[in-house]
């Protein structure tokens, strides 16, 4: 990494007004020249026999400030693998081999790389209920250093929105398939804007034109070219088969086939190279990109001819690199009037500089909590649906168990109701959280990879933001239910009833976050979540008497929140009360006898409450550790 310099030493300042120049001075962005040499990547394939497959083979190149470099190739050519290798995001598993070097301004990368480079993924993951302005503003609040004032952050956001042509939709919500919002092209621009707020020295984009029509794709590429020129940013992207008019916006194009480089230069130079090597010319009215891609594709129906052609092109380019002593690719020295020359053949040493964060944990927590509350309270459909479900179940149970008597039937009804309540709270809480948190985790992975914030503030903010509405709906559910069903009437018993259910809700949220955090996919979480609840249900103390369960499995009941909740609710209801055997019988039986009979007094009421809170805390901690592990940025530097 190079040392920070004043904004007056940077490229493109003349194109930016005085206020923007002062702000960029606080951002401390440096122009970036990225060089890569002899990159090889071999993976171990699955199967009965250990085999290896080479995805990248001796790839070298360079990208300089102000350039828009496109990596092109057919499916399986290795363009995304190369992009991820250059971005430090390649996944290297056991048995894989990744060799070569990637240098930033002549030096190896360190932890600060996450602030030097931005990365725009192929699929746009954003919160549909936020507006364009809010989405980019939150990115600015998370990413920009604390030296930048709130007013300056808003100025940067305005500048980014202007650069990306999003002024007309700045107050429109992002939207999704079921909720109308901005267009696909505008979403891609917003995704770019999230990375652009820091004006990084280097920007990677993976297939930014995917899903866009040709006109929108051209407009996007033209915008990227303008950003590269105006801000002296180095931009590298992958693209499949662009229309002919898009090709002129690329400074250079790298064509790849079967993990090897075919050509690196301008489109015109590529056509001249093909004519020289293969003796072929692009027809006058054909898209040059389509023409080149056809030549680089090995077809199954003429594998021998097309395969030989590709091998010829690979060999030709490799010989050209060697014959020119890598002058155009590996040892390039750029001299301009704007900044000093950067000699790119320096191996350098890896700097062990720590990654600094723009905000402290409390500030991160505040921003994340604010964003979560906006998302929750804007989702009115879910709020109304949850309210309706809560009222419906509460009234249904209230009238199924309406005004329970003190006879044996009333005892049975009380036990059934008190067992069903924890099950209902657990299922409704966990099952709602699982699909919702899947998006949160995916966005957390992207944003933490970009060093926007740490995992703990995000996890804590998510948990705290869930509590208010959860507890409100709990009161709406429990209050009418308690009095309509005729549960024991001393008001202090009602308060304990609410306290136990509140602790259970806390534990249920913890369980939901835990399952969602440790599960690799939402589908797996939707299998694990109900499975865990069913196990808790079986050992909850109603289906099987806790005193009669075999000792081999009896321990499971002590990790079941249903077991503790049921015991606590039953003790709160039955202790100190008396129940008749039949309606016409004068014999009464103490409630404690029923607790002994059904094994519901193994742990006292307050011990159960402590166990529920303890399990909830354990779930939260386990979920945090799982989330921290699964979203840990996996950077691979070579």
């Amino acid at each position: 990494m190079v040392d920070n310099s004043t904004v007056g030493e940077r490229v493109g300042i003349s194109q930016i007004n005085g206020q923007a120049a002062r702000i960029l001075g606080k951002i401390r962005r440096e122009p970036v020249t990225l060089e890569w040499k002899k990159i090889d990547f071999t993976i171990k394939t699955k199967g009965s026999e250990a085999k290896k497959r080479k995805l990248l083979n001796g790839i070298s190149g360079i990208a300089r400030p102000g350039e828009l470099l496109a990596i092109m190739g057919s499916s399986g050519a290795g363009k995304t693998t190369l992009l991820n290798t250059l971005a430090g995001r390649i996944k290297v598993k056991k048995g894989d081999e990744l060799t070569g070097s990637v240098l930033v301004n002549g030096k190896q990368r360190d932890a600060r790389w996450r602030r030097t480079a931005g990365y725009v993924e192929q699929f746009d993951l954003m919160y549909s209920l936020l507006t364009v302005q809010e989405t980019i503003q939150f990115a600015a609040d998370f990413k920009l250093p604390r030296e930048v004032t709130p007013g300056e952050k808003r100025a940067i956001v305005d500048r980014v929105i202007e650069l990306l042509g999003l002024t007309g939709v700045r107050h429109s919500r992002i939207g999704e398939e079921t909720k109308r919002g901005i267009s696909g092209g505008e979403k891609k621009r917003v995704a770019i804007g999230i990375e652009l707020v820091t004006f990084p020295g280097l920007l990677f984009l993976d297939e930014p034109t995917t899903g866009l029509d040709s006109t929108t794709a051209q407009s996007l590429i033209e915008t990227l070219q303008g950003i590269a020129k105006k801000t002296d940013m180095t931009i590298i992207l992958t693209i499949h088969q662009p229309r002919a008019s898009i090709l002129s916006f690329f400074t250079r194009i790298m064509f790849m086939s079967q993990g090897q480089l075919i050509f690196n230069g301008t489109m015109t130079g590529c056509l001249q190279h093909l004519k020289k090597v293969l003796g072929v010319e692009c027809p006058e009215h054909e898209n040059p990109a389509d023409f080149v891609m056809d030549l680089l594709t090995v077809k199954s129906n003429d594998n021998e001819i097309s395969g030989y052609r590709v091998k010829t092109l690979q060999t030709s380019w490799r010989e050209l690199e060697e014959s020119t002593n890598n002058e155009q690719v590996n040892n390039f020295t750029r001299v301009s009037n704007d900044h000093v020359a950067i000699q790119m053949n320096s191996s350098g040493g890896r700097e062990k500089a720590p990654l600094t964060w723009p905000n402290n944990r409390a500030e991160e927590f505040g921003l994340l909590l604010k964003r979560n509350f906006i998302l929750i309270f804007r989702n009115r459909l879910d709020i109304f649906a949850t309210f309706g479900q809560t009222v419906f179940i509460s009234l249904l149970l209230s009238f199924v168990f309406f005004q329970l008597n003190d006879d044996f039937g009333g005892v049975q009804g009380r036990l059934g109701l008190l067992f069903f309540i924890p099950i209902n709270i657990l299922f409704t809480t966990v099952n709602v959280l699982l699909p919702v948190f899947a998006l949160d985790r995916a966005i957390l992975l992207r944003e933490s990879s970009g060093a926007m914030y740490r995992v703990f503030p995000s996890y804590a903010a998510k948990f705290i933001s869930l509590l208010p509405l959860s507890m409100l709906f709990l009161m709406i559910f429990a209050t009418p239910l308690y009095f309509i069903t005729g549960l024991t009437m001393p008001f202090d018993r009602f308060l304990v009833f609410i306290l136990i259910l509140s602790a259970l809700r806390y534990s249920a949220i913890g369980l939901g976050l835990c399952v969602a955090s440790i599960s690799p996919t939402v589908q797996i979480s939707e299998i694990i979540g109900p499975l865990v609840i069913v196990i808790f249900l079986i050992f909850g103390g109603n289906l099987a008497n806790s005193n009669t369960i075999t000792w081999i499995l009896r321990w499971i009941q002590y990790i079941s929140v249903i077991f503790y909740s049921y015991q606590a609710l039953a003790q709160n209801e039955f202790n100190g009360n008396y129940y008749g055997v039949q309606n016409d019988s004068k014999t009464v039986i103490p409630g404690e006898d029923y607790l002994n009979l059904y094994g519901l007094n193994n742990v006292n009421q307050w011990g159960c409450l402590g166990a529920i809170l303890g399990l909830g805390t354990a779930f939260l901690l386990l979920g945090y550790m799982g989330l921290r592990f699964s979203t840990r940025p996996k950077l691979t530097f070579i």
Side-chain angles (χ1 to χ4, degrees), residues 330-456:
N330 291 334
N331 194 29
F332 193 97
T333 303
R334 186 185 182 204
V335 182
S336 70
N337 296 326
D338 298 312
H339 57 80
V340 298
I342 301 175
Q343 185 70 32
M344 295 304 299
N345 58 3
S346 171
S347 61
R350 192 178 303 281
E351 300 178 13
K352 296 183 178 180
L355 176 67
T356 58
W357 298 88
N359 303 293
N360 59 43
R361 287 180 172 83
E363 291 168 334
E364 291 173 357
F365 173 79
L367 287 169
L368 289 161
L369 191 63
K370 177 183 177 182
R371 185 171 72 176
N372 287 342
F373 277 132
I374 289 175
L375 294 170
I376 288 172
F377 288 106
R378 279 191 185 165
N379 198 349
R380 296 179 182 177
L381 182 60
D382 278 6
I383 292 176
F384 290 144
T386 304
F387 175 79
Q389 179 195 51
T390 301
V391 171
F392 175 79
I393 295 177
S394 178
L395 293 178
L396 178 64
L397 291 176
S398 297
F399 290 104
V400 168
F401 299 95
F402 182 77
Q403 290 298 305
L404 294 166
N405 296 320
D406 292 336
D407 58 8
F408 185 77
V411 171
Q412 183 184 18
R414 281 175 166 79
L415 291 174
L417 175 63
L418 297 177
F419 183 65
F420 182 82
I421 289 174
I423 297 171
N424 174 66
I425 290 176
L426 214 56
F427 265 111
T428 55
T429 304
V430 172
N431 287 348
V432 168
L433 268 180
L434 298 182
V436 172
F437 196 67
L439 175 62
D440 291 329
R441 193 175 71 163
I443 292 179
L444 170 62
L445 177 59
R446 187 200 71 203
E447 293 180 338
S448 61
S449 295
M452 291 175 66
Y453 50 79
R454 284 153 284 203
V455 175
F456 181 75

Side-chain angles (χ1 to χ4, degrees), residues 315-331:
T315 302
S316 174
W317 182 254
R318 189 163 52 248
E319 291 175 349
L320 180 61
E321 284 183 322
E322 294 172 355
S323 65
T324 56
N325 196 27
N326 298 331
E327 181 179 356
Q328 294 179 343
V329 181
N330 291 334
N331 194 29

Side-chain angles (χ1 to χ4, degrees), residues 88-89 91 114 117-121 123 125-127 143 194-195 357 368 371 436-456 458-459 516-517 519-521 626-635:
R89 297 193 176 205
K91 294 181 180 179
R114 293 163 67 186
Y119 189 98
V120 180
E121 298 175 351
F123 302 104
L125 288 172
M126 290 173 282
Y127 290 111
K143 286 188 169 188
I194 292 172
E195 300 299 327
W357 298 88
L368 289 161
R371 185 171 72 176
V436 172
F437 196 67
L439 175 62
D440 291 329
R441 193 175 71 163
I443 292 179
L444 170 62
L445 177 59
R446 187 200 71 203
E447 293 180 338
S448 61
S449 295
M452 291 175 66
Y453 50 79
R454 284 153 284 203
V455 175
F456 181 75
S458 173
Y459 190 72
S517 298
S519 302
T521 66
L627 189 65
R628 185 178 178 87
F629 176 79
S630 63
T631 60
R632 183 172 53 191
K634 298 176 177 62
L635 301 179

Side-chain angles (χ1 to χ4, degrees), residues 40-241:
D40 288 329
F41 184 41
T42 304
I43 64 171
K44 184 179 180 181
T45 59
K46 296 181 179 180
S48 56
E49 298 182 3
K51 296 182 179 179
K52 294 199 172 183
R53 178 186 170 198
K54 204 158 196 175
L55 300 184
L56 298 176
N57 188 357
I59 305 293
S60 301
I62 190 170
R64 299 176 292 269
E67 287 190 344
L68 178 59
L69 172 63
I71 304 174
M72 291 181 59
S74 57
S75 298
K79 54 186 185 294
T80 299
T81 302
L82 175 61
L83 185 80
N84 289 335
T85 301
L86 299 181
R89 297 193 176 205
I90 194 71
K91 294 181 180 179
V92 181
K93 300 179 181 179
K94 185 177 181 180
D96 298 345
E97 296 178 6
L98 178 62
T99 60
S101 65
V102 178
L103 304 178
V104 180
N105 291 340
K107 296 182 179 180
Q108 292 182 316
R109 295 173 288 185
D110 58 27
R112 292 176 296 176
W113 170 253
R114 293 163 67 186
R115 298 226 182 278
T116 302
Y119 189 98
V120 180
E121 298 175 351
Q122 181 176 354
F123 302 104
D124 307 320
L125 288 172
M126 290 173 282
Y127 290 111
S128 62
L129 295 173
L130 294 180
T131 66
V132 171
Q133 172 93 25
E134 290 168 338
T135 301
I136 300 178
Q137 184 66 58
F138 273 118
D141 292 336
F142 284 125
K143 286 188 169 188
L144 293 175
R146 60 188 61 189
E147 293 83 7
V148 182
T149 66
E152 290 171 337
K153 290 178 181 179
R154 287 192 295 270
I156 290 175
V157 172
D158 291 339
R159 174 67 172 162
V160 168
I161 289 175
E162 179 186 350
L163 278 173
L164 294 171
L166 294 169
T167 304
V169 295
R170 68 186 306 155
H171 299 301
S172 300
R173 293 186 183 180
I174 301 298
E176 57 185 356
E177 292 182 1
T178 58
K179 298 176 183 177
R180 188 174 180 180
I182 59 178
S183 68
E186 290 164 342
K187 284 183 182 179
K188 183 60 68 176
R189 290 170 186 264
V190 174
I192 295 171
I194 292 172
E195 300 299 327
L196 203 60
V197 289
T198 58
F199 287 91
L202 183 61
L203 182 64
F204 295 98
L205 302 99
D206 185 18
E207 300 278 3
T209 59
T210 298
L212 305 182
D213 61 77
S214 58
T215 302
T216 304
Q218 177 170 329
S219 176
L220 177 63
I221 298 300
E222 186 176 4
T223 300
L224 289 172
Q225 184 204 41
I227 291 171
K229 289 183 177 180
K230 290 177 182 178
T231 65
D232 205 39
M233 188 180 298
T234 306
I235 300 180
I236 304 175
L237 59 85
T238 59
I239 193 168
H240 189 56
Q241 284 183 275

Side-chain angles (χ1 to χ4, degrees), residues 506-522:
Y506 162 82
S507 188
I509 293 174
L511 178 61
L513 291 176
C514 176
V515 172
S517 298
I518 65 176
S519 302
T521 66
V522 64

